[in-house]
Amino acid sequence: MESESSCLPCTPDEENQIISQLNNADASTSIKEGDLFYVLSNRWFIKWQKYTGQYLDDLSMDDHITVSQLLPSPPRPGQIDNHHLLVNTQGDDFELIRTLDEGTDYVLLSQQVWKKLHDWYKGGPALPRKVISQGDLKNTFAVEVYPLRLQLIDARDARQYLIRISKRASVGELYDQVKLLLGLGEERVCIWDYFNKKKHLVLDVEHKALDEAQLQMDQDILLEVQGSVFWSSGLGMDSTGNGLALVPVEPSRSSVTIAGGPSMSNYSTGYLSNFYEENSLFPQLKDVEGGYNLRKMTKEDKGGLAGLQNLGNTCFMNSAIQCLVHTPPLVEYFLDDYSEEINKQNPIGMQGQLAISFGDLLRNLWSPGRAPIAPRGFKAKLARFAPQFSGYNQHDSHELLAFLLDGLHEDLNRVKSKPYIEMKDANERPDEEVANECWEIHQARNDSVIVDVCQGQYKSTLVCPVCSKVSVTFDPFMYLSLPLPSTATRSMTITVFYGDGSGLPMPYTVTILKHGCNKDLLQALGTACCLNTDETLLLAEVYEHKIYQYLENPLEPLSSIKDYEHIVAYRLHKEQEGSIKLVIIHRSKEKKLLGTPLVTCLAEGPQTTADVQNAVHKVLNPLLKTKACHPSNWAHTSMEDGSASRTNADGAVDNGISEFGLGTDSVDKMELDQLFNGVASFNLSLTDEKGLSCSLMEDDFLFQPMDRLTVLLDWSDREHDVYDLSYLEDLPDVHKTGSTAKKTRQEAISLFSCLEAFLKEEPLGPDDMWYCPTCKEHRQAIKKLDLWRLPEILVVHLKRFSYSRYLKNKLDTFVNFPTCDLNLEKYVKSKAAAAGSHVYKLYAISNHYGGLGGGHYSAYAKLIEENRWYHFDDSYVSPISEEEIKTSAAYVLFYQRVQEKGDESS
């Protein structure tokens, strides 16, 4: 009985409650490795959330906007449909599209929640995924949405097979799966890492997990089966009879060393030397762990022009790396012997492994030659210590830079045991004294090449708005994240209709920020049409004389509204928010739709046909024709209270139905009086919101309370003689781009205006209140930042991306930044002579092209010795002129201090 009842339909509230209880139970249970989660289409899930009311609970609304006025009553969703998430929907081989984004394309549900939803709705297909541990972090788990996908090549006949296996599976499990797939029994087999069609390393069963073997998504692995020769420890003997035969390989006899320093074999996962470059089917390409016996290097080796192979959406990583490996002080440091500074004991570091891996990569990139390098070893280290960057989705190059700078600092921190130092109160001491003391305390715990060249110091001032208590602190920074002041605006024309029939429809043109949302449009439109405090606006898109959609989410970006669309707004009274919305669609004698739909409200409770007829009369009232106020003599005006009026030829204002001139040429006075008084009936039919179905509305219909009722109004000659339909026709476009209209380019902003926006005084947010020691209360203090101490390398992050739960946006604003002589002297508050020069020159840029999720990263970097710029686009490197590097794609800027004359230490 229990299983049968679980399939019975529940009310929306019951479904919501059941799923919420399951989610709460899941939240109280610890996730462990091997747990199952299910991938579910977010498109379907949002429909279910709207149906059950979950979607509304999270919307933060303005006081003038209420949920019930914006949202129709959503239908029950159909069967679960995950097919649009799949590459191939044929058969049972369900492979997810590689670029899906959690929260946008899909959601992850626990096994219990999936089972319950599937019981109710059926459909599918089911897409279960296992929880795996992440990297070296304890008790850190993630759902493996994309298991490792490998292309197995059988050396015996060159046949290829697709292998799907967890990246946390052992190499032994890979061998077992391959043997089972090919029906191999006791034969001796060996599987090679065959990345880029080159033999790199025999996969040894001693490896703990596949991710430690550095296998990449979609790469090749090569299977060789021994007929008569014994295999041991990855040492190969000749195998004959095919073109992919094994060639003897000697294991590496020496550990990778750092610039002649002590052996670091415990910290380097070196590959065997690559003896197969000449046999490669692809262009020559190095592997970072190529068994290099590194020596102390210099820039005289003429390197720095090698590209980085894209390992699957790793352009963000390649862009960040190229900027860092072309940072002059870091190049000098990592080309020298830095082995003595590797901190293996730092509990918040990575045992030096990140620094060693980055150093190896930098040395390879500065080695002679331009062969692209595959940074597989570095990516594997990154996944171990920063699981957020694992997988094959696009990430943020600035977030990676922030992690790398902080991680390199901890791995190279010269302080082996951080002392505890208690901060002293300022006690009205001079800022210079307090700032120097804070910097010394910081350096006593943090001392590395990163601190030496990349860290500066802020002055942060907080002022209590109640007692005026002032708090000043001096904090270190690694980079500046600057906002982009928006100068781009958008003109939008919206036609406002009166839901109570108190005025004529009126178009309003408002100007708002281009990257705003529906809420901004509603506020601007409310101001333009003098919206009363007891009124609200319902936005809708009209297409082919029907309401195509209601713009229900106030936080939806305005970019979703196109210039050629027709958007209307209906003025409705807030007190009617619980009543039925009556939508009136107009139809001609030829049964074709015409005009613009009207929306009004019926009273609360059950409604009759007569109530609907009266509501239609009321909302059509402003369209009445009279001899005294013929449409040809009307002019649109806007009264102070927001109601539209009609002005006749004599200048008299008519706000309603005049006592005079009620007759028309074709309708006698009695019939017109009947129409005005709601006696005569319109020809109305019930229909759906698309105006497709149609059933005549009888006189004795009784409508129970519902969210929305849609009717068709048939316009006969009588209606055309009494009402002027022209006011419902020819809706203006949101923005008319006529031949005379000039497209103005978005105004460029300067880097200095971004810096000034960052440094301006502003109140803290309500979620970031400051505890005032005088008031003993949390206060929304006024905060002011100032630059106090600037580093040798200044990293400037332009905040092009903004994220919230409902809104993701990218600003493509062009920022005009100096390439040389960036003078920040007036922004630095410290006047100490030791502060050094405040003038900087640009040497690298991390670029981002395109929109969110589907964009691409590249880098521009300058070879200082050549005084020449290059474009690093993954594997491809090409020269570029300095005039070409200024683009709206600039995302992270890298500046180096210009030495003052006679100063060789800067």
Side-chain angles (χ1 to χ4, degrees):
M1 286 293 293
E2 184 176 348
S3 62
E4 292 179 8
S5 64
S6 68
C7 296
L8 295 176
C10 302
T11 66
D13 288 340
E14 288 172 341
E15 288 190 17
N16 192 350
Q17 184 177 3
I18 291 171
I19 298 301
S20 296
Q21 289 173 349
L22 290 175
N23 282 329
N24 292 335
D26 291 332
S28 62
T29 305
S30 298
I31 295 178
K32 61 184 182 299
E33 197 164 6
D35 285 350
L36 275 184
F37 278 76
Y38 283 76
V39 176
L40 175 68
S41 162
N42 194 40
R43 182 190 302 173
W44 185 92
F45 190 59
I46 288 177
K47 290 180 182 178
W48 178 83
Q49 285 182 309
K50 289 181 178 180
Y51 170 66
T52 60
Q54 261 194 26
Y55 189 75
L56 306 184
D57 296 339
D58 297 329
L59 284 179
S60 59
M61 310 291 282
D62 185 80
D63 292 338
H64 296 295
I65 308 166
T66 58
V67 173
S68 60
Q69 289 167 330
L70 285 173
L71 295 181
S73 179
R76 191 172 191 267
Q79 286 191 343
I80 294 171
D81 186 6
N82 285 330
H83 288 91
H84 66 282
L85 304 178
L86 305 175
V87 175
N88 182 8
T89 58
Q90 305 297 322
D92 297 329
D93 186 16
F94 302 129
E95 182 179 351
L96 289 174
I97 296 171
R98 194 67 57 80
T99 56
L100 298 179
D101 183 34
E102 183 182 358
T104 302
D105 302 300
Y106 69 89
V107 293
L108 292 171
L109 303 180
S110 70
Q111 190 171 11
Q112 297 302 318
V113 172
W114 162 263
K115 184 177 184 304
K116 185 59 65 177
L117 289 176
H118 192 262
D119 283 347
W120 290 333
Y121 292 94
K122 308 305 179 189
L127 302 170
R129 294 295 187 269
K130 287 185 178 180
V131 172
I132 61 172
S133 60
Q134 289 204 97
D136 286 1
L137 303 179
K138 294 181 179 179
N139 300 320
T140 304
F141 303 100
V143 178
E144 189 178 30
V145 177
Y146 294 98
L148 195 59
R149 186 178 183 271
L150 302 171
Q151 192 77 23
L152 175 70
I153 301 175
D154 191 338
R156 297 172 297 178
D157 54 13
R159 292 185 63 181
Q160 299 186 12
Y161 304 88
L162 187 62
I163 301 289
R164 287 195 179 92
I165 190 169
S166 171
K167 62 176 68 75
R168 294 298 292 173
S170 67
V171 175
E173 290 175 293
L174 175 62
Y175 272 86
D176 292 340
Q177 185 169 329
V178 169
K179 286 184 175 183
L180 182 63
L181 175 67
L182 299 183
L184 300 173
E186 299 300 322
E187 295 94 331
R188 297 282 186 177
V189 300
C190 132
I191 299 178
W192 285 85
D193 174 357
Y194 201 52
F195 182 73
N196 281 336
K197 294 291 192 298
K198 295 182 294 183
K199 292 180 178 179
H200 290 272
L201 181 71
V202 173
L203 297 180
D204 194 328
V205 293
E206 293 180 2
H207 282 101
K208 293 182 180 179
L210 291 175
D211 58 354
E212 296 177 13
Q214 302 174 8
L215 298 182
Q216 303 298 307
M217 182 72 82
D218 296 324
Q219 80 157 75
D220 294 322
I221 55 176
L222 178 65
L223 171 71
E224 292 186 330
V225 181
Q226 179 207 11
S228 58
V229 182
F230 179 72
W231 281 88
S232 176
S233 302
L235 179 63
M237 300 300 292
D238 282 339
S239 174
T240 59
N242 59 73
L244 294 174
L246 181 65
V247 179
V249 172
E250 289 290 337
S252 178
R253 299 184 183 276
S254 61
S255 300
V256 174
T257 61
I258 298 177
S263 172
M264 299 300 299
S265 58
N266 292 335
Y267 301 96
S268 180
T269 54
Y271 271 169
L272 295 177
S273 297
N274 179 5
F275 294 105
Y276 299 96
E277 292 183 358
E278 69 276 12
N279 296 323
S280 173
L281 302 179
F282 285 78
Q284 185 180 21
L285 184 142
K286 297 179 186 176
D287 195 293
V288 170
E289 284 70 29
Y292 290 99
N293 202 357
L294 298 176
R295 57 186 173 80
K296 185 172 181 177
M297 297 174 61
T298 66
K299 290 184 179 180
E300 294 177 359
D301 290 320
K302 302 298 182 186
L305 288 178
L308 289 167
Q309 185 180 4
N310 193 314
L311 302 177
N313 275 332
T314 56
C315 59
F316 77 98
M317 181 182 79
N318 295 344
S319 172
I321 289 173
Q322 291 288 10
C323 291
L324 284 184
V325 301
H326 287 87
T327 298
L330 297 184
V331 175
E332 297 290 345
Y333 180 86
F334 282 100
L335 290 185
D336 203 349
D337 183 356
Y338 63 97
S339 57
E340 293 295 327
E341 295 201 335
I342 294 175
N343 189 334
K344 296 177 284 187
Q345 289 81 35
N346 191 345
I348 59 175
M350 283 145 272
Q351 296 81 49
Q353 296 188 50
L354 183 68
I356 293 171
S357 184
F358 177 79
D360 286 353
L361 180 54
L362 182 145
R363 287 162 173 268
N364 276 273
L365 289 168
W366 279 94
S367 295
R370 298 192 180 188
I373 290 172
R376 292 200 297 164
F378 181 81
K379 186 177 186 299
K381 283 289 189 293
L382 192 65
R384 287 180 59 190
F385 296 113
Q388 66 269 28
F389 299 117
S390 62
Y392 299 91
N393 287 334
Q394 187 70 277
H395 295 282
D396 190 312
S397 70
H398 170 255
E399 291 179 4
L400 177 63
L401 280 165
F403 168 80
L404 280 179
L405 289 173
D406 189 60
L408 290 173
H409 158 65
E410 296 297 350
D411 268 6
L412 298 170
N413 198 344
R414 303 176 186 110
V415 179
K416 307 304 180 185
S417 178
K418 296 187 178 185
Y420 172 75
I421 304 175
E422 188 171 349
M423 294 290 296
K424 299 177 184 178
D425 291 332
N427 291 329
E428 299 183 355
R429 290 181 292 162
D431 282 350
E432 292 286 353
E433 180 182 339
V434 178
N436 288 336
E437 182 180 274
C438 291
W439 187 251
E440 289 169 3
I441 291 174
H442 174 65
Q443 284 188 312
R445 295 171 54 83
N446 302 276
D447 182 18
S448 70
V449 64
I450 303 299
V451 174
D452 294 343
V453 301
C454 296
Q455 286 197 355
Q457 191 179 33
Y458 289 135
K459 176 186 176 183
S460 177
T461 305
L462 292 172
V463 180
C464 178
V466 177
C467 71
S468 299
K469 165 69 176 176
V470 178
S471 172
V472 176
T473 58
F474 295 88
D475 305 306
F477 69 86
M478 194 92 75
Y479 48 82
L480 299 179
S481 284
L482 306 185
L484 273 61
S486 179
T487 60
T489 57
R490 180 182 183 187
S491 294
M492 304 182 72
T493 300
I494 312 296
T495 304
V496 178
F497 291 82
Y498 287 79
D500 60 359
S502 62
L504 286 166
M506 180 77 69
Y508 292 91
T509 299
V510 294
T511 301
I512 47 187
L513 289 177
K514 181 180 180 181
H515 298 288
C517 57
N518 288 346
K519 182 177 178 180
D520 301 319
L521 175 58
L522 287 166
Q523 290 174 342
L525 197 58
T527 301
C529 72
C530 303
L531 192 70
N532 297 321
T533 57
D534 61 346
E535 290 180 307
T536 188
L537 292 173
L538 173 61
L539 285 173
E541 178 188 349
V542 173
Y543 178 68
E544 293 184 346
H545 311 290
K546 303 184 292 291
I547 293 179
Y548 178 73
Q549 64 173 337
Y550 295 94
L551 308 184
E552 55 192 25
N553 183 0
L555 301 180
E556 183 76 18
L558 290 177
S559 57
S560 63
I561 300 177
K562 309 305 179 188
D563 286 346
Y564 56 80
E565 292 176 348
H566 301 117
I567 305 298
V568 299
Y570 299 100
R571 294 179 72 146
L572 304 171
H573 286 279
K574 287 184 177 180
E575 62 186 21
Q576 297 175 316
E577 60 185 67
S579 60
I580 301 175
K581 304 291 186 303
L582 176 64
V583 181
I584 305 162
I585 301 176
H586 312 282
R587 188 169 65 173
S588 67
K589 292 187 297 183
E590 293 78 19
K591 303 303 180 183
K592 294 182 179 180
L593 299 185
L594 48 82
T596 304
L598 298 174
V599 176
T600 187
C601 291
L602 302 174
E604 295 187 25
Q607 298 291 301
T608 64
T609 300
D611 296 323
V612 174
Q613 288 279 353
N614 287 332
V616 175
H617 279 288
K618 183 179 179 181
V619 77
L620 287 179
N621 183 58
L623 310 184
L624 282 168
K625 294 178 180 179
T626 66
K627 288 182 178 179
C629 295
H630 193 273
S632 63
N633 297 322
W634 295 350
H636 288 258
T637 62
S638 181
M639 300 181 66
E640 188 174 346
D641 63 356
S643 60
S645 62
R646 296 172 298 187
T647 307
N648 60 25
D650 298 327
V653 176
D654 180 15
N655 292 319
I657 304 172
S658 173
E659 292 182 20
F660 307 101
L662 290 178
T664 67
D665 295 335
S666 57
V667 182
D668 61 31
K669 184 177 184 304
M670 179 178 295
E671 186 175 3
L672 192 59
D673 287 340
Q674 289 177 337
L675 283 170
F676 291 175
N677 295 324
V679 177
S681 297
F682 292 106
N683 186 12
L684 300 177
S685 302
L686 292 174
T687 186
D688 57 16
E689 292 189 351
K690 297 184 181 299
L692 298 178
S693 62
C694 183
S695 59
L696 191 63
M697 194 167 67
E698 303 293 343
D699 292 339
D700 56 353
F701 271 13
L702 180 66
F703 303 97
Q704 297 301 319
M706 65 183 74
D707 184 78
R708 185 167 285 117
L709 174 66
T710 305
V711 297
L712 272 175
L713 167 58
D714 286 309
W715 282 69
S716 64
D717 291 339
R718 182 187 67 174
E719 278 77 25
H720 280 289
D721 287 337
V722 176
Y723 298 100
D724 189 349
L725 186 63
S726 65
Y727 288 102
L728 303 183
E729 296 177 328
D730 300 324
L731 281 176
D733 294 345
V734 168
H735 183 71
K736 191 71 174 178
T737 55
S739 57
T740 59
K742 293 183 179 180
K743 281 192 174 182
T744 58
R745 180 184 175 185
Q746 179 175 273
E747 182 184 349
I749 60 176
S750 72
L751 185 63
F752 295 104
S753 64
C754 298
L755 182 60
E756 288 162 3
F758 173 72
L759 297 175
K760 74 178 181 180
E761 187 179 87
E762 59 183 1
L764 295 176
D767 298 327
D768 189 28
M769 302 237 280
W770 171 64
Y771 182 79
C772 176
T774 303
C775 297
K776 308 296 183 186
E777 295 283 346
H778 284 90
R779 302 295 190 194
Q780 197 168 355
I782 306 300
K783 183 175 183 179
K784 174 72 170 70
L785 284 177
D786 291 299
L787 299 179
W788 190 263
R789 183 191 308 264
L790 293 181
E792 178 183 351
I793 298 299
L794 181 65
V795 181
V796 179
H797 165 226
L798 302 177
K799 297 174 70 173
R800 294 195 178 276
F801 302 105
S802 60
Y803 301 93
S804 68
R805 185 167 185 179
Y806 302 103
L807 182 64
K808 295 182 179 180
N809 186 40
K810 183 197 172 187
L811 295 174
D812 288 313
T813 308
F814 176 75
V815 178
N816 190 8
F817 50 88
T819 57
C820 58
D821 296 330
L822 170 64
N823 194 337
L824 301 177
E825 184 172 2
K826 73 173 185 177
Y827 300 102
V828 180
K829 296 303 179 183
S830 173
K831 303 306 178 184
S837 169
H838 299 142
V839 180
Y840 287 82
K841 60 184 177 183
L842 187 74
Y843 69 87
I845 307 173
S846 175
N847 299 304
H848 181 271
Y849 303 90
L852 293 168
H856 177 67
Y857 287 92
S858 73
Y860 297 142
K862 186 176 185 179
L863 264 64
I864 306 300
E865 289 74 13
E866 295 184 14
N867 192 29
R868 190 173 187 183
W869 285 88
Y870 288 88
H871 185 199
F872 295 85
D873 188 1
D874 289 332
S875 297
Y876 302 97
V877 181
S878 57
I880 187 172
S881 68
E882 187 167 313
E883 292 72 27
E884 295 178 282
I885 65 172
K886 284 189 177 185
T887 71
S888 59
Y891 182 44
V892 187
L893 308 172
F894 292 76
Y895 284 93
Q896 184 179 18
R897 175 181 283 137
V898 176
Q899 293 182 358
E900 294 179 325
K901 291 182 179 180
D903 181 7
E904 299 299 330
S905 61
S906 296

